[in-house]
Amino acid sequence: MESASAALRADVVLVGGGLANSLIALRLKALRPGLRVLLLEREPTIGGEHTWCHFETDVDAAIGGWLRPLIVHRWTGYEVRFPAHRRSLPTPYLAITSKRLHEVVSRVLGPDAWTGIAVVDVNPHQVTLADGRRIVAGAVIDGRGARRSKRLALGWQKFVGQDLRLSAPHGLAAPIIMDATVPQTDGYRFVYVLPLDAHRLLIEDTRYSDGPGLDRASLGAAIADYAKAQGWTIEAVEREEHGVLPIALGGDIDAYWQEARPQVAEVGLRAALFQPTTGYSLPDAARLADRIAALPRITSASVRACVEAHSKATWRKRRFLRLLNRMLFRACAPEERYRVLERFYRLSVPLIQRFYAARLTWRDKARVLIGKPPVPIGAAMKCISESSVFGGQDA
């Protein structure tokens, strides 16, 4: 740890040790090894308690290559289950754990990965710590999670996940990305299951809800009930994670960025960079890390300009996904939301892949909308305008 007698210096200070800043750190050290990159994390470990997953088709081969050291699990396909439809799909699915992220980032940054650090002030050229130390840097990047704003209308994906050790092999060969055969509670509810080894599973109980309140005890009990219903006997709960992720319904991205502190570079969920429907943030975080590392000069101003422009462009490209979200959240009763996903999972594998990658073509968009709608037509029409989620006011 550095002396507190004077301001410390670094080329880049990353405030927050979550996924976005961790990937930025790895790309900067890989492409610009001469930079001193300092990462500050409030908690004892980098990445907290999380599992980040993505489909292999969500990112290009180059990004997939540099993400490889972080990958802990890879499956060749996955399964979905709905009351009237069950399907196996062949798209490879990959998982990164916070434990692996902590190991890799700590190894790459060495003594410049600081944990247990409280930050009290962030500005474009300086970070002030709770113990009074100041860190001066050419670039300060803020990745401390989502920033709440009335300029964005959101639904919520809430979940509790548990790593479970079972008393006997579970027999599951591939992940279950959505099991919506469970009772529909607090919005669209499904269970997500990752086979970690023959006796271990990560089971998450997930709700697409109108509010962000999370009853961890209730969802934990629901996980136990689900395991019992599948014939699995839990020997131990080895780890638990939880989260509340934003699902974008609408918003004014320009006004959102005007609310941010001038010249401070914000990344990750704070930059509104996530797949609007799934809440997946890893592909966006990886692409942004590449963009930042490739900048001619790494300064707070250059990173802020890069991220803001990328965030706005990405938000506008994903207008159609927000329309689908409004139909999901506003055009049908919460207990009927599963029907939208059930219908979606009857579409072609390539279209489903492009949906998750947020790269739908105009033909894909037409195909998603053509046919018998799973929501009432009148309610769907009211959702067409993005301003509809702001009570009719302009977004």
Side-chain angles (χ1 to χ4, degrees), residues 1-13 36-40 109-115 117 127 129 131-136:
M1 192 66 71
E2 304 274 1
S3 167
S5 60
L8 312 174
R9 294 190 177 275
D11 296 300
V12 180
V13 176
R36 184 183 183 190
V37 178
L38 189 62
L39 183 142
L40 311 177
L109 292 185
D112 287 335
W114 294 7
T115 57
I117 297 294
V127 175
L129 308 184
D131 61 13
R133 285 178 296 168
R134 295 176 296 113
I135 305 171
V136 175

Side-chain angles (χ1 to χ4, degrees), residues 218-234:
S218 175
L219 271 67
I223 291 171
D225 291 342
Y226 179 84
K228 183 178 181 180
Q230 303 302 309
W232 299 326
T233 300
I234 299 172

